PDB file of all heavy atoms in Angstrom:
ATOM      1  N   ALA A 333      22.934  -4.258  18.558  1.00 97.00           N
ATOM      2  CA  ALA A 333      22.764  -2.961  17.903  1.00 97.00           C
ATOM      3  C   ALA A 333      23.218  -1.825  18.815  1.00 97.00           C
ATOM      4  O   ALA A 333      23.859  -0.865  18.360  1.00 97.00           O
ATOM      5  CB  ALA A 333      21.302  -2.780  17.502  1.00 97.00           C
ATOM      6  N   ARG A 334      22.901  -1.918  20.107  1.00 97.00           N
ATOM      7  CA  ARG A 334      23.342  -0.871  21.042  1.00 97.00           C
ATOM      8  C   ARG A 334      24.861  -0.846  21.170  1.00 97.00           C
ATOM      9  O   ARG A 334      25.469   0.228  21.287  1.00 97.00           O
ATOM     10  CB  ARG A 334      22.704  -1.090  22.412  1.00 97.00           C
ATOM     11  CG  ARG A 334      21.196  -0.851  22.466  1.00 97.00           C
ATOM     12  CD  ARG A 334      20.718  -0.863  23.905  1.00 97.00           C
ATOM     13  NE  ARG A 334      19.255  -0.855  24.014  1.00 97.00           N
ATOM     14  CZ  ARG A 334      18.520  -1.960  24.175  1.00 97.00           C
ATOM     15  NH1 ARG A 334      19.109  -3.156  24.234  1.00 97.00           N
ATOM     16  NH2 ARG A 334      17.214  -1.870  24.273  1.00 97.00           N
ATOM     17  N   ASP A 335      25.481  -2.015  21.164  1.00 96.00           N
ATOM     18  CA  ASP A 335      26.944  -2.065  21.224  1.00 96.00           C
ATOM     19  C   ASP A 335      27.564  -1.355  20.020  1.00 96.00           C
ATOM     20  O   ASP A 335      28.633  -0.736  20.133  1.00 96.00           O
ATOM     21  CB  ASP A 335      27.426  -3.520  21.264  1.00 96.00           C
ATOM     22  CG  ASP A 335      27.144  -4.199  22.593  1.00 96.00           C
ATOM     23  OD1 ASP A 335      26.896  -3.483  23.590  1.00 96.00           O
ATOM     24  OD2 ASP A 335      27.148  -5.450  22.638  1.00 96.00           O
ATOM     25  N   ARG A 336      26.902  -1.449  18.899  1.00 96.00           N
ATOM     26  CA  ARG A 336      27.423  -0.840  17.672  1.00 96.00           C
ATOM     27  C   ARG A 336      27.076   0.643  17.555  1.00 96.00           C
ATOM     28  O   ARG A 336      27.925   1.463  17.177  1.00 96.00           O
ATOM     29  CB  ARG A 336      26.871  -1.594  16.459  1.00 96.00           C
ATOM     30  CG  ARG A 336      27.328  -1.044  15.119  1.00 96.00           C
ATOM     31  CD  ARG A 336      26.741  -1.852  13.971  1.00 96.00           C
ATOM     32  NE  ARG A 336      27.074  -1.267  12.678  1.00 96.00           N
ATOM     33  CZ  ARG A 336      26.584  -1.693  11.508  1.00 96.00           C
ATOM     34  NH1 ARG A 336      25.739  -2.735  11.482  1.00 96.00           N
ATOM     35  NH2 ARG A 336      26.929  -1.098  10.380  1.00 96.00           N
ATOM     36  N   PHE A 337      25.809   0.989  17.894  1.00 96.00           N
ATOM     37  CA  PHE A 337      25.313   2.338  17.620  1.00 96.00           C
ATOM     38  C   PHE A 337      25.104   3.191  18.872  1.00 96.00           C
ATOM     39  O   PHE A 337      24.996   4.414  18.790  1.00 96.00           O
ATOM     40  CB  PHE A 337      23.969   2.284  16.886  1.00 96.00           C
ATOM     41  CG  PHE A 337      24.015   1.614  15.539  1.00 96.00           C
ATOM     42  CD1 PHE A 337      22.973   0.782  15.137  1.00 96.00           C
ATOM     43  CD2 PHE A 337      25.071   1.816  14.670  1.00 96.00           C
ATOM     44  CE1 PHE A 337      22.983   0.171  13.899  1.00 96.00           C
ATOM     45  CE2 PHE A 337      25.095   1.208  13.422  1.00 96.00           C
ATOM     46  CZ  PHE A 337      24.049   0.380  13.032  1.00 96.00           C
ATOM     47  N   GLY A 338      24.963   2.570  20.008  1.00 96.00           N
ATOM     48  CA  GLY A 338      24.538   3.309  21.188  1.00 96.00           C
ATOM     49  C   GLY A 338      23.041   3.178  21.399  1.00 96.00           C
ATOM     50  O   GLY A 338      22.365   2.331  20.792  1.00 96.00           O
ATOM     51  N   ALA A 339      22.506   4.054  22.247  1.00 96.00           N
ATOM     52  CA  ALA A 339      21.093   3.965  22.632  1.00 96.00           C
ATOM     53  C   ALA A 339      20.178   4.256  21.441  1.00 96.00           C
ATOM     54  O   ALA A 339      20.546   4.953  20.489  1.00 96.00           O
ATOM     55  CB  ALA A 339      20.805   4.929  23.770  1.00 96.00           C
ATOM     56  N   ILE A 340      18.977   3.718  21.534  1.00 97.00           N
ATOM     57  CA  ILE A 340      17.955   3.881  20.485  1.00 97.00           C
ATOM     58  C   ILE A 340      17.088   5.083  20.828  1.00 97.00           C
ATOM     59  O   ILE A 340      16.679   5.256  21.987  1.00 97.00           O
ATOM     60  CB  ILE A 340      17.104   2.602  20.382  1.00 97.00           C
ATOM     61  CG1 ILE A 340      17.991   1.427  19.979  1.00 97.00           C
ATOM     62  CG2 ILE A 340      15.959   2.774  19.380  1.00 97.00           C
ATOM     63  CD1 ILE A 340      17.359   0.067  20.192  1.00 97.00           C
ATOM     64  N   CYS A 341      16.799   5.933  19.823  1.00 96.00           N
ATOM     65  CA  CYS A 341      16.035   7.153  20.100  1.00 96.00           C
ATOM     66  C   CYS A 341      14.643   7.154  19.470  1.00 96.00           C
ATOM     67  O   CYS A 341      13.824   8.014  19.779  1.00 96.00           O
ATOM     68  CB  CYS A 341      16.801   8.386  19.632  1.00 96.00           C
ATOM     69  SG  CYS A 341      16.908   8.555  17.847  1.00 96.00           S
ATOM     70  N   GLY A 342      14.357   6.201  18.582  1.00 96.00           N
ATOM     71  CA  GLY A 342      13.034   6.186  17.959  1.00 96.00           C
ATOM     72  C   GLY A 342      12.666   4.803  17.460  1.00 96.00           C
ATOM     73  O   GLY A 342      13.547   3.978  17.170  1.00 96.00           O
ATOM     74  N   VAL A 343      11.369   4.539  17.397  1.00 97.00           N
ATOM     75  CA  VAL A 343      10.865   3.244  16.961  1.00 97.00           C
ATOM     76  C   VAL A 343       9.734   3.445  15.963  1.00 97.00           C
ATOM     77  O   VAL A 343       8.814   4.245  16.202  1.00 97.00           O
ATOM     78  CB  VAL A 343      10.327   2.407  18.147  1.00 97.00           C
ATOM     79  CG1 VAL A 343       9.780   1.070  17.662  1.00 97.00           C
ATOM     80  CG2 VAL A 343      11.399   2.207  19.189  1.00 97.00           C
ATOM     81  N   ILE A 344       9.798   2.721  14.849  1.00 97.00           N
ATOM     82  CA  ILE A 344       8.672   2.584  13.928  1.00 97.00           C
ATOM     83  C   ILE A 344       8.255   1.115  13.993  1.00 97.00           C
ATOM     84  O   ILE A 344       8.993   0.240  13.530  1.00 97.00           O
ATOM     85  CB  ILE A 344       9.053   2.944  12.472  1.00 97.00           C
ATOM     86  CG1 ILE A 344       9.602   4.365  12.376  1.00 97.00           C
ATOM     87  CG2 ILE A 344       7.853   2.746  11.552  1.00 97.00           C
ATOM     88  CD1 ILE A 344       8.597   5.455  12.519  1.00 97.00           C
ATOM     89  N   HIS A 345       7.109   0.848  14.583  1.00 97.00           N
ATOM     90  CA  HIS A 345       6.647  -0.537  14.718  1.00 97.00           C
ATOM     91  C   HIS A 345       5.700  -0.826  13.557  1.00 97.00           C
ATOM     92  O   HIS A 345       4.502  -0.557  13.614  1.00 97.00           O
ATOM     93  CB  HIS A 345       5.937  -0.726  16.057  1.00 97.00           C
ATOM     94  CG  HIS A 345       5.507  -2.138  16.333  1.00 97.00           C
ATOM     95  ND1 HIS A 345       6.114  -3.239  15.757  1.00 97.00           N
ATOM     96  CD2 HIS A 345       4.513  -2.631  17.121  1.00 97.00           C
ATOM     97  CE1 HIS A 345       5.512  -4.345  16.182  1.00 97.00           C
ATOM     98  NE2 HIS A 345       4.537  -3.993  17.015  1.00 97.00           N
ATOM     99  N   ALA A 346       6.282  -1.367  12.470  1.00 95.00           N
ATOM    100  CA  ALA A 346       5.517  -1.629  11.245  1.00 95.00           C
ATOM    101  C   ALA A 346       5.297  -3.112  11.001  1.00 95.00           C
ATOM    102  O   ALA A 346       4.681  -3.487   9.998  1.00 95.00           O
ATOM    103  CB  ALA A 346       6.230  -1.006  10.045  1.00 95.00           C
ATOM    104  N   ALA A 347       5.799  -3.968  11.886  1.00 93.00           N
ATOM    105  CA  ALA A 347       5.631  -5.406  11.688  1.00 93.00           C
ATOM    106  C   ALA A 347       4.165  -5.784  11.821  1.00 93.00           C
ATOM    107  O   ALA A 347       3.431  -5.211  12.635  1.00 93.00           O
ATOM    108  CB  ALA A 347       6.468  -6.174  12.713  1.00 93.00           C
ATOM    109  N   GLY A 348       3.756  -6.747  11.041  1.00 90.00           N
ATOM    110  CA  GLY A 348       2.372  -7.206  11.135  1.00 90.00           C
ATOM    111  C   GLY A 348       2.128  -8.385  10.221  1.00 90.00           C
ATOM    112  O   GLY A 348       2.886  -8.642   9.286  1.00 90.00           O
ATOM    113  N   VAL A 349       1.055  -9.097  10.507  1.00 87.00           N
ATOM    114  CA  VAL A 349       0.619 -10.225   9.693  1.00 87.00           C
ATOM    115  C   VAL A 349      -0.823  -9.963   9.285  1.00 87.00           C
ATOM    116  O   VAL A 349      -1.690  -9.760  10.148  1.00 87.00           O
ATOM    117  CB  VAL A 349       0.705 -11.553  10.475  1.00 87.00           C
ATOM    118  CG1 VAL A 349       0.138 -12.702   9.643  1.00 87.00           C
ATOM    119  CG2 VAL A 349       2.147 -11.843  10.873  1.00 87.00           C
ATOM    120  N   ALA A 350      -1.072  -9.931   7.997  1.00 80.00           N
ATOM    121  CA  ALA A 350      -2.434  -9.709   7.501  1.00 80.00           C
ATOM    122  C   ALA A 350      -3.076 -11.056   7.207  1.00 80.00           C
ATOM    123  O   ALA A 350      -2.586 -11.816   6.377  1.00 80.00           O
ATOM    124  CB  ALA A 350      -2.420  -8.847   6.242  1.00 80.00           C
TER     125      ALA A 350
END
Side-chain angles (χ1 to χ4, degrees):
R334 291 190 189 96
D335 288 342
R336 179 180 175 187
F337 298 140
I340 298 165
C341 70
V343 179
I344 303 287
H345 184 24
V349 175

